[in-house]
Amino acid sequence: MNRPSHNLVKTIDRQMLTPLAQAAVDCPTLRIDGWETTTLSVQGQRSVFRFSGIGYDGVASRAWSLILKEIMAPESADDPAHEPDCLWYWPRESLLYATGIPQSLNNRANTSGLRAPRCFGVLEPTPQVRWIWLEDLEDCYDGRWPLERYALAAYHLGLFNGHYFIGESVPPFPWLTASGLDFESASKAAEIRCLHDPKIWAHPMLTRAFPTPILPELERLVAEREKFLAEAMDYPRAFCHLDAHPGNMAALKDEDGNEITVLFDWALSGYGAPGEEISRLVWATLLDFKVDIAEAERLETLAFDSYLQGLTDAGWLVDPEQTRYAYLMSSVLIFALEVEAIEHAFNEDVDWLETYYGCPKDRLVEQSAQATYLLLKRADALRAILDKM
């Protein structure tokens, strides 16, 4: 794919960077000379860069750094990501930062413990490109969280969601995700028909990983998808991040030693029922191999209980069964319908795969399959709750 905007990044000069670097280090007199530009990630239409250098404040040298998140519009005019009601509406995150919604967390006592990176500017270098200049932050655990840290993040998310459930409102922007779970699960359900190819299940790794066939249960989930969603139509809904997983979070410590959870990547943000927010915290953590599958139930219990406590401490009158229903529904409709073991088994770039996830390919397939089996059990728990309602 041609990526002309990378040439745009090369045009960033001292005049543009100076006020951004000054804001990053809270020094309006900072002067900068040279700097380094590092590409941190390129994923589809989104790229992340770090700009860093040494400046001079008139007395001493000072290190500075900034993160630039670049978002490109889809090349095809027919791509649904051009539509504001699409889950993957391409400029949503830049619009959120421009309105100041993520940054508003940083000044709220009632969402203490959760914040977004500081934003130093949202620019539009061309009509098809957005630049978001952000604070450069590093996780104090270097990405290897103990289980208790996931519980704390879940508590912070409960405070965050609860704050909106009890009355705080976000303006009803047409580009906020209003039915993201419906949209995403419909997309995943449509792909299940591809799994009827017997060649898929004949793969030796998949034969070992799935001794009990899962396709009938996946098809059952697809058939029940609309029924599950309909039950939650009347649940209270509040503004949520909706993509809170380890790759989009960092643990920091404030000057008093208290731990803070930072939320990055607000591209899917919108409205959700209580419980939806933590499905990715649990299952993306397991499927990204941040926590061993043997700890799955403990992780889930810690996260769910801590999230409920956060909702309660925010002042919201919690309905635990309703919250569990929304959590389970989001979990199975997103993660059970995406059988990642298949993707790992057929990925031929073994070196990249094993380096990225930090474990052998056969273990990736095995743990992903075990997660799918657990999710199918969660589907049974979801049905049980529905039967009682």
Side-chain angles (χ1 to χ4, degrees), residues 51-205:
F51 287 74
S52 60
I54 304 296
Y56 183 68
D57 65 6
V59 176
S61 298
R62 296 184 63 171
W64 62 271
S65 63
L66 295 156
I67 296 296
L68 171 61
K69 185 165 189 178
E70 177 188 75
I71 308 168
M72 295 177 59
E75 293 181 342
S76 170
D78 297 328
D79 194 302
H82 286 289
E83 301 300 323
D85 60 352
C86 176
L87 176 62
W88 296 288
Y89 181 49
W90 75 272
R92 181 179 293 117
E93 185 174 20
S94 65
L95 292 168
L96 270 169
Y97 273 110
T99 61
I101 291 173
Q103 305 94 295
S104 68
L105 288 176
N106 303 351
N107 300 316
R108 289 181 179 165
N110 51 5
T111 53
S112 177
L114 185 75
R115 74 175 185 89
R118 289 192 296 162
C119 179
F120 305 117
V122 178
L123 304 179
E124 187 177 326
T126 77
Q128 303 303 312
V129 177
R130 301 291 185 273
W131 284 348
I132 310 173
W133 289 96
L134 298 167
E135 182 180 13
D136 187 8
L137 299 170
E138 293 187 9
D139 184 84
C140 64
Y141 291 94
D142 196 25
R144 293 186 290 270
W145 289 10
L147 283 182
E148 292 72 19
R149 189 59 185 78
Y150 291 99
L152 181 59
Y155 176 75
H156 290 155
L157 290 168
L159 285 175
F160 167 54
N161 292 167
H163 174 69
Y164 287 99
F165 282 123
I166 63 173
E168 178 72 14
S169 63
V170 168
F173 298 115
W175 38 263
L176 283 176
T177 306
S179 54
L181 181 56
D182 188 2
F183 193 100
E184 186 172 5
S185 61
S187 175
K188 295 178 187 296
E191 296 174 2
I192 293 299
R193 61 176 178 269
C194 300
L195 302 186
H196 284 275
D197 184 349
K199 293 179 182 177
I200 293 175
W201 305 106
H203 191 291
M205 285 188 176

Side-chain angles (χ1 to χ4, degrees), residues 7-57:
N7 293 327
L8 285 175
V9 170
K10 293 178 183 178
T11 69
I12 293 171
D13 58 16
R14 183 179 293 105
Q15 183 178 0
M16 178 182 293
L17 277 178
T18 295
L20 297 167
Q22 289 171 343
V25 298
D26 297 315
C27 177
T29 61
L30 185 75
R31 300 200 311 268
I32 66 173
D33 293 317
W35 58 85
E36 293 184 354
T37 306
T38 306
T39 302
L40 300 182
S41 71
V42 178
Q43 296 183 341
Q45 303 297 104
R46 297 168 179 269
S47 302
V48 180
F49 306 92
R50 175 182 286 117
F51 287 74
S52 60
I54 304 296
Y56 183 68
D57 65 6

Side-chain angles (χ1 to χ4, degrees), residues 104 145 165 169 198 207 219 224 248 263 269 360 382:
S104 68
W145 289 10
F165 282 123
S169 63
T207 300
E219 291 179 321
E224 295 172 314
N248 287 339
L263 280 177
S269 299
L382 180 63

Side-chain angles (χ1 to χ4, degrees), residues 99-383:
T99 61
I101 291 173
Q103 305 94 295
S104 68
L105 288 176
N106 303 351
N107 300 316
R108 289 181 179 165
N110 51 5
T111 53
S112 177
L114 185 75
R115 74 175 185 89
R118 289 192 296 162
C119 179
F120 305 117
V122 178
L123 304 179
E124 187 177 326
T126 77
Q128 303 303 312
V129 177
R130 301 291 185 273
W131 284 348
I132 310 173
W133 289 96
L134 298 167
E135 182 180 13
D136 187 8
L137 299 170
E138 293 187 9
D139 184 84
C140 64
Y141 291 94
D142 196 25
R144 293 186 290 270
W145 289 10
L147 283 182
E148 292 72 19
R149 189 59 185 78
Y150 291 99
L152 181 59
Y155 176 75
H156 290 155
L157 290 168
L159 285 175
F160 167 54
N161 292 167
H163 174 69
Y164 287 99
F165 282 123
I166 63 173
E168 178 72 14
S169 63
V170 168
F173 298 115
W175 38 263
L176 283 176
T177 306
S179 54
L181 181 56
D182 188 2
F183 193 100
E184 186 172 5
S185 61
S187 175
K188 295 178 187 296
E191 296 174 2
I192 293 299
R193 61 176 178 269
C194 300
L195 302 186
H196 284 275
D197 184 349
K199 293 179 182 177
I200 293 175
W201 305 106
H203 191 291
M205 285 188 176
L206 297 177
T207 300
R208 291 193 298 271
F210 292 107
T212 302
I214 62 168
L215 188 54
E217 286 300 311
L218 295 176
E219 291 179 321
R220 183 184 178 190
L221 268 181
V222 170
E224 295 172 314
R225 187 185 73 87
E226 292 186 4
K227 179 176 69 174
F228 289 149
L229 289 166
E231 169 58 33
M233 284 292 291
D234 296 329
Y235 284 13
R237 297 170 69 77
F239 179 66
C240 301
H241 181 275
L242 296 176
D243 200 15
H245 63 80
N248 287 339
M249 295 189 292
L252 305 181
K253 291 188 178 180
D254 65 18
E255 44 192 39
D256 297 322
N258 300 312
E259 292 210 5
I260 297 169
T261 302
V262 182
L263 280 177
F264 306 103
D265 197 344
W266 293 74
L268 302 186
S269 299
Y271 300 101
E276 283 187 49
E277 189 78 282
I278 58 166
S279 62
R280 279 182 164 84
L281 180 64
V282 174
W283 296 100
T285 294
L286 293 166
L287 290 166
D288 284 344
F289 305 91
K290 302 294 185 182
V291 172
D292 191 88
I293 197 69
E295 298 279 11
E297 293 196 12
R298 184 166 175 236
L299 170 66
E300 186 176 43
T301 298
L302 284 170
F304 186 80
D305 290 348
S306 297
Y307 178 73
L308 285 183
Q309 190 62 55
L311 291 173
T312 300
D313 289 353
W316 191 61
L317 185 60
V318 177
D319 182 334
E321 189 158 273
Q322 191 180 79
T323 305
R324 183 171 293 280
Y325 181 90
Y327 158 72
L328 290 170
M329 176 180 65
S330 179
S331 298
V332 301
L333 293 185
I334 293 175
F335 294 99
L337 292 178
E338 184 174 10
V339 188
E340 290 200 8
I342 295 174
E343 181 179 344
H344 294 324
F346 284 94
N347 191 324
E348 296 180 356
D349 192 350
V350 179
D351 289 343
W352 175 88
L353 191 69
E354 296 186 345
T355 299
Y356 182 83
Y357 287 105
C359 60
K361 179 176 178 176
D362 58 351
R363 179 60 187 150
L364 296 178
V365 174
E366 179 186 355
Q367 174 150 328
S368 297
Q370 290 175 337
T372 297
Y373 280 129
L374 286 176
L375 283 157
L376 292 176
K377 290 182 179 179
R378 302 302 181 269
D380 287 336
L382 180 63
R383 294 180 187 109

